[in-house]
Amino acid sequence: MSQSGQRGPTGPDTDTTVIARTVTRLVVPIILLNAVALLLQGHNLPGGGFIAGVLTVTAFALVYVIFGREYLQRELLHSDASDGFFDGAVGEYSRTFTFGLALAALSGAGAIVLPAALGGEPFPFLSQAVVFVEHVPLYHEIEIPTALFFDLGVYFVVVGALLTILAVVGAE
């Protein structure tokens, strides 16, 4: 405990070791990189928006446990502590949830709109359409399926919902 009455280097609600903070700084980027990889390969291989979202929330939970609620709100969300926790963090998580839900719902219309825009026959709602983008540096060709947008929507829904639960339970 410091002379000012605060415990730990980040505030009164954390009391962690240097080892725990260092390991967290090393592990969180690896967790987030794996989440992105699972999200992008989800339509062809095991993975997808749900597991990528759970993995992302795991990284946030680790930061929350080790560095504390105020650090998460101040450094990662860039919201002022005077906004109030429920207005700042939970508001951000709610907007993430809403954006994800809208994106997942609208991605179902992508199979109707995308082929029609390219001059083809539209597919039924929530079926998958694919666009191939050619002449991309390094990759030469990239496949963009409408399922990727659905996975992105699921990802944001899972991240928003689980972070809201984490924030509300953590504030208790």
Side-chain angles (χ1 to χ4, degrees):
M1 186 174 283
S2 69
Q3 293 178 345
S4 64
Q6 293 184 344
R7 296 182 318 184
T10 58
D13 57 346
T14 62
D15 191 17
T16 58
T17 64
V18 172
I19 294 171
R21 291 190 298 271
T22 303
V23 168
T24 299
R25 286 189 176 107
L26 293 174
V27 168
V28 165
I30 294 169
I31 292 172
L32 293 176
L33 189 63
N34 280 323
V36 170
L38 286 172
L39 175 67
L40 293 179
Q41 73 180 14
H43 61 281
N44 288 331
L45 297 170
F50 183 81
I51 191 64
V54 170
L55 211 52
T56 299
V57 172
T58 302
F60 274 82
L62 191 59
V63 170
Y64 178 79
V65 168
I66 298 300
F67 292 102
R69 181 181 65 182
E70 292 174 4
Y71 176 84
L72 182 69
Q73 189 170 350
R74 185 184 64 239
E75 298 296 327
L76 296 180
L77 301 175
H78 303 290
S79 65
D80 190 9
S82 63
D83 292 344
F85 185 66
F86 289 105
D87 292 335
V90 173
E92 292 289 330
Y93 305 151
S94 297
R95 283 187 283 278
T96 302
F97 178 87
T98 304
F99 172 75
L101 195 59
L103 183 62
L106 290 176
S107 69
I112 298 170
V113 174
L114 196 59
L118 298 175
E121 288 289 320
F123 295 108
F125 183 71
L126 278 180
S127 60
Q128 180 171 309
V130 177
V131 172
F132 293 95
V133 179
E134 297 178 351
H135 308 294
V136 177
L138 297 176
Y139 292 100
H140 304 293
E141 181 179 84
I142 293 179
E143 173 187 339
I144 302 175
T146 56
L148 176 64
F149 298 105
F150 182 77
D151 279 341
L152 273 171
V154 170
Y155 172 82
F156 285 118
V157 165
V158 169
V159 168
L162 291 180
L163 284 178
T164 300
I165 292 169
L166 184 68
V168 170
V169 171
E172 295 287 321

Short mmCIF file of all heavy atoms in Angstrom, two decimals, residues 7-10 14-27 62 65-67:
data_model
loop_
_atom_site.label_atom_id
_atom_site.label_comp_id
_atom_site.label_asym_id
_atom_site.label_seq_id
_atom_site.Cartn_x
_atom_site.Cartn_y
_atom_site.Cartn_z
N ARG A 7 -3.65 1.20 -3.18
CA ARG A 7 -2.94 -0.06 -3.30
C ARG A 7 -2.60 -0.27 -4.76
O ARG A 7 -3.40 -0.03 -5.63
CB ARG A 7 -3.79 -1.22 -2.80
CG ARG A 7 -4.10 -1.10 -1.33
CD ARG A 7 -4.88 -2.24 -0.84
NE ARG A 7 -5.93 -2.60 -1.80
CZ ARG A 7 -6.81 -3.54 -1.57
NH1 ARG A 7 -6.79 -4.22 -0.46
NH2 ARG A 7 -7.73 -3.82 -2.46
N GLY A 8 -1.40 -0.77 -5.01
CA GLY A 8 -0.99 -1.07 -6.37
C GLY A 8 -0.74 0.19 -7.18
O GLY A 8 -1.08 1.29 -6.76
N PRO A 9 -0.14 0.06 -8.37
CA PRO A 9 0.22 1.22 -9.15
C PRO A 9 -0.93 1.83 -9.94
O PRO A 9 -0.81 2.93 -10.42
CB PRO A 9 1.28 0.68 -10.10
CG PRO A 9 0.91 -0.75 -10.28
CD PRO A 9 0.34 -1.18 -8.95
N THR A 10 -2.05 1.16 -10.09
CA THR A 10 -3.10 1.67 -10.96
C THR A 10 -4.31 2.19 -10.22
O THR A 10 -5.18 2.76 -10.83
CB THR A 10 -3.55 0.59 -11.94
OG1 THR A 10 -4.01 -0.53 -11.20
CG2 THR A 10 -2.43 0.19 -12.87
N THR A 14 -7.10 -2.35 -7.37
CA THR A 14 -6.21 -3.42 -7.83
C THR A 14 -5.10 -3.61 -6.83
O THR A 14 -4.63 -2.69 -6.19
CB THR A 14 -5.58 -3.08 -9.19
OG1 THR A 14 -4.79 -1.91 -9.05
CG2 THR A 14 -6.64 -2.89 -10.25
N ASP A 15 -4.67 -4.84 -6.71
CA ASP A 15 -3.53 -5.16 -5.87
C ASP A 15 -2.86 -6.36 -6.51
O ASP A 15 -3.04 -7.49 -6.07
CB ASP A 15 -3.98 -5.47 -4.44
CG ASP A 15 -2.79 -5.54 -3.51
OD1 ASP A 15 -1.71 -5.05 -3.87
OD2 ASP A 15 -2.97 -6.09 -2.40
N THR A 16 -2.15 -6.11 -7.59
CA THR A 16 -1.56 -7.19 -8.36
C THR A 16 -0.05 -7.07 -8.36
O THR A 16 0.51 -6.01 -8.08
CB THR A 16 -2.07 -7.17 -9.80
OG1 THR A 16 -1.76 -5.92 -10.38
CG2 THR A 16 -3.57 -7.41 -9.85
N THR A 17 0.61 -8.14 -8.74
CA THR A 17 2.06 -8.16 -8.76
C THR A 17 2.58 -7.67 -10.11
O THR A 17 1.84 -7.62 -11.09
CB THR A 17 2.58 -9.58 -8.52
OG1 THR A 17 2.17 -10.41 -9.60
CG2 THR A 17 2.07 -10.13 -7.20
N VAL A 18 3.86 -7.37 -10.14
CA VAL A 18 4.50 -6.95 -11.38
C VAL A 18 4.47 -8.10 -12.38
O VAL A 18 4.27 -7.89 -13.58
CB VAL A 18 5.96 -6.50 -11.10
CG1 VAL A 18 6.71 -6.25 -12.40
CG2 VAL A 18 5.96 -5.28 -10.22
N ILE A 19 4.62 -9.32 -11.91
CA ILE A 19 4.59 -10.49 -12.80
C ILE A 19 3.22 -10.61 -13.46
O ILE A 19 3.12 -10.81 -14.66
CB ILE A 19 4.94 -11.77 -12.01
CG1 ILE A 19 6.40 -11.69 -11.54
CG2 ILE A 19 4.71 -13.01 -12.86
CD1 ILE A 19 6.80 -12.79 -10.59
N ALA A 20 2.16 -10.46 -12.69
CA ALA A 20 0.81 -10.57 -13.26
C ALA A 20 0.57 -9.47 -14.28
O ALA A 20 -0.01 -9.71 -15.35
CB ALA A 20 -0.23 -10.51 -12.15
N ARG A 21 0.99 -8.26 -13.99
CA ARG A 21 0.79 -7.16 -14.94
C ARG A 21 1.61 -7.37 -16.21
O ARG A 21 1.13 -7.12 -17.33
CB ARG A 21 1.14 -5.83 -14.28
CG ARG A 21 0.15 -5.42 -13.20
CD ARG A 21 0.38 -4.00 -12.72
NE ARG A 21 1.70 -3.81 -12.13
CZ ARG A 21 1.99 -3.98 -10.84
NH1 ARG A 21 1.04 -4.34 -10.00
NH2 ARG A 21 3.21 -3.78 -10.38
N THR A 22 2.84 -7.86 -16.07
CA THR A 22 3.69 -8.10 -17.24
C THR A 22 3.14 -9.23 -18.10
O THR A 22 3.10 -9.11 -19.33
CB THR A 22 5.13 -8.43 -16.79
OG1 THR A 22 5.60 -7.35 -15.98
CG2 THR A 22 6.05 -8.62 -17.97
N VAL A 23 2.72 -10.31 -17.47
CA VAL A 23 2.15 -11.44 -18.21
C VAL A 23 0.88 -10.99 -18.95
O VAL A 23 0.65 -11.36 -20.10
CB VAL A 23 1.88 -12.63 -17.28
CG1 VAL A 23 1.02 -13.68 -17.96
CG2 VAL A 23 3.19 -13.24 -16.81
N THR A 24 0.08 -10.17 -18.30
CA THR A 24 -1.14 -9.67 -18.94
C THR A 24 -0.81 -8.83 -20.16
O THR A 24 -1.45 -8.97 -21.21
CB THR A 24 -1.97 -8.85 -17.93
OG1 THR A 24 -2.32 -9.70 -16.85
CG2 THR A 24 -3.22 -8.29 -18.57
N ARG A 25 0.20 -7.97 -20.05
CA ARG A 25 0.59 -7.15 -21.20
C ARG A 25 1.09 -8.01 -22.36
O ARG A 25 0.95 -7.63 -23.52
CB ARG A 25 1.67 -6.16 -20.79
CG ARG A 25 1.13 -5.03 -19.97
CD ARG A 25 2.18 -3.93 -19.77
NE ARG A 25 1.61 -2.83 -19.07
CZ ARG A 25 1.89 -2.55 -17.79
NH1 ARG A 25 2.74 -3.29 -17.12
NH2 ARG A 25 1.31 -1.52 -17.20
N LEU A 26 1.67 -9.16 -22.07
CA LEU A 26 2.16 -10.05 -23.13
C LEU A 26 1.04 -10.93 -23.70
O LEU A 26 1.01 -11.21 -24.89
CB LEU A 26 3.29 -10.94 -22.60
CG LEU A 26 4.58 -10.23 -22.24
CD1 LEU A 26 5.54 -11.20 -21.58
CD2 LEU A 26 5.20 -9.59 -23.47
N VAL A 27 0.15 -11.39 -22.86
CA VAL A 27 -0.85 -12.37 -23.27
C VAL A 27 -2.05 -11.73 -23.98
O VAL A 27 -2.58 -12.32 -24.93
CB VAL A 27 -1.30 -13.19 -22.04
CG1 VAL A 27 -2.53 -14.01 -22.33
CG2 VAL A 27 -0.17 -14.06 -21.55
N LEU A 62 -9.30 -10.22 -18.39
CA LEU A 62 -7.95 -10.29 -17.81
C LEU A 62 -7.44 -8.89 -17.47
O LEU A 62 -6.90 -8.66 -16.39
CB LEU A 62 -7.02 -11.01 -18.78
CG LEU A 62 -5.66 -11.40 -18.27
CD1 LEU A 62 -5.76 -12.32 -17.06
CD2 LEU A 62 -4.86 -12.09 -19.38
N VAL A 65 -9.37 -7.63 -14.41
CA VAL A 65 -8.96 -8.22 -13.14
C VAL A 65 -7.60 -7.69 -12.69
O VAL A 65 -7.39 -7.38 -11.52
CB VAL A 65 -8.95 -9.76 -13.25
CG1 VAL A 65 -8.26 -10.40 -12.06
CG2 VAL A 65 -10.36 -10.29 -13.39
N ILE A 66 -6.68 -7.59 -13.62
CA ILE A 66 -5.31 -7.22 -13.25
C ILE A 66 -5.15 -5.71 -13.05
O ILE A 66 -4.50 -5.26 -12.11
CB ILE A 66 -4.31 -7.72 -14.33
CG1 ILE A 66 -4.36 -9.25 -14.41
CG2 ILE A 66 -2.90 -7.24 -14.03
CD1 ILE A 66 -4.00 -9.97 -13.12
N PHE A 67 -5.71 -4.91 -13.94
CA PHE A 67 -5.49 -3.46 -13.88
C PHE A 67 -6.65 -2.69 -13.26
O PHE A 67 -6.50 -1.52 -12.95
CB PHE A 67 -5.19 -2.92 -15.27
CG PHE A 67 -3.88 -3.38 -15.81
CD1 PHE A 67 -3.82 -4.40 -16.74
CD2 PHE A 67 -2.69 -2.83 -15.36
CE1 PHE A 67 -2.61 -4.84 -17.23
CE2 PHE A 67 -1.48 -3.26 -15.84
CZ PHE A 67 -1.44 -4.28 -16.78
#
